[in-house]
């Protein structure tokens, strides 16, 4: 087991690259690990976390009442810069989504980060920055912001710098909550059944 996997299994936070920005990743199902990330980022508790998962099966394991086109959407765009909001089922701990009826799912396209998610189970992975600051794009700057106390992987070349598009498909109509790399037009071209 490498040091990063070990740190994740022990409930520590680590800095990992995605195809958008660096994330501060930790065990999603460990309250202590999630509390630690909120504290590190100085993030308000009312800002819910997403579940970073590795497969469509993982999404289905933590959601309910999913739209019929979910598999088609997954196949078209994931792994990739898309966060999907769905209705949460009873397996989603309140410390992830603040007890909201919904939860976000992200499947990062970076191969090493995805491998850690597969090995250790769902992770939270908010952007690696202090709350209110710009998203983390440069590994050394992130380490400086967190007093060089976190393990991580440096891959600045993988970072495209645009946040993921947040797509809410928890209701009858899809809504884009944050415009990122992926546009509504691109989604509609690939997923015919989706209605905005």
């Amino acid at each position: 087991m490498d040091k990063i996997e070990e740190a994740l299994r022990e409930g520590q936070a680590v800095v990992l690259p995605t195809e958008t920005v660096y994330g501060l990743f930790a065990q999603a199902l460990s309250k202590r690990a999630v509390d630690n990330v909120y504290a590190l980022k100085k993030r308000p508790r009312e800002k819910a976390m997403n579940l970073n998962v590795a497969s469509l099966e993982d999404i289905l394991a933590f959601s309910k009442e999913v739209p019929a086109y979910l598999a088609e959407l997954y196949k078209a765009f994931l792994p990739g810069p898309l966060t999907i909001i769905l209705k949460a089922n009873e397996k989603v701990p309140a410390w992830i989504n603040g007890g909201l009826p919904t939860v976000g799912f992200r499947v990062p396209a970076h191969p090493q980060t995805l491998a850690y998610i597969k090995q250790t189970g769902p992770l939270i992975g908010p952007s690696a920055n202090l709350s209110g600051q710009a998203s983390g794009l440069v590994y050394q700057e992130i380490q400086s912001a967190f007093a060089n106390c976190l393990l991580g992987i440096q891959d600045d070349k993988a970072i495209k710098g645009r946040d993921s598009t947040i797509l809410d498909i928890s209701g009858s109509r899809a809504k884009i909550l944050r415009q990122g790399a992926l546009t509504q037009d691109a989604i509609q071209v690939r997923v015919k059944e989706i209605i905005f």
Side-chain angles (χ1 to χ4, degrees):
M1 195 189 306
D2 72 15
K3 283 182 178 171
I4 288 177
E5 185 183 346
E6 196 173 341
L8 284 167
R9 291 190 186 281
E10 288 173 359
Q12 295 173 37
V14 299
V15 178
L16 296 176
T18 73
E19 75 287 9
T20 56
V21 299
Y22 279 99
L24 200 55
F25 285 83
Q27 282 282 1
L29 303 184
S30 161
K31 184 175 187 301
R32 185 174 61 85
V34 173
D35 286 346
N36 179 37
V37 170
Y38 271 105
L40 278 168
K41 281 178 61 70
K42 301 181 170 57
R43 181 181 172 106
R45 287 307 304 216
E46 60 271 15
K47 286 187 77 174
M49 295 281 189
N50 294 327
L51 288 175
N52 284 260
V53 296
S55 68
L56 177 60
E57 289 68 33
D58 290 345
I59 293 175
L60 293 172
F62 290 94
S63 61
K64 64 183 181 183
E65 298 170 38
V66 302
Y69 58 76
L70 177 63
E72 194 180 353
L73 182 71
Y74 186 97
K75 192 173 166 193
F77 299 110
L78 295 172
L82 177 65
T83 299
I84 297 174
I85 309 285
L86 287 163
K87 285 184 181 161
N89 68 19
E90 69 290 342
K91 287 186 188 162
V92 177
W95 60 79
I96 295 289
N97 66 344
L100 291 169
T102 56
V103 66
F105 293 95
R106 177 98 160 80
V107 188
H110 194 282
Q112 281 176 291
T113 300
L114 201 55
Y116 285 120
I117 295 167
K118 283 178 181 160
Q119 286 159 356
T120 62
L123 302 176
I124 55 164
S127 57
N129 57 348
L130 295 169
S131 197
Q133 306 284 318
S135 295
L137 306 178
V138 180
Y139 186 78
Q140 292 304 341
E141 289 175 8
I142 292 163
Q143 285 295 0
S144 296
F146 291 104
N148 295 300
C149 68
L150 301 171
L151 282 174
I153 292 175
Q154 181 169 2
D155 188 358
D156 290 354
K157 291 194 300 298
I159 306 294
K160 301 288 187 283
R162 277 198 86 182
D163 288 315
S164 65
T165 295
I166 300 178
L167 177 66
D168 186 340
I169 54 171
S170 64
S172 55
R173 283 183 175 271
K175 292 191 291 278
I176 289 181
L177 304 185
R178 179 179 73 195
Q179 185 61 65
L182 199 56
T183 64
Q184 181 175 321
D185 286 348
I187 294 166
Q188 286 180 299
V189 164
R190 299 288 297 277
V191 186
K192 304 294 186 212
E193 286 178 54
I194 197 166
I195 299 168
F196 282 89

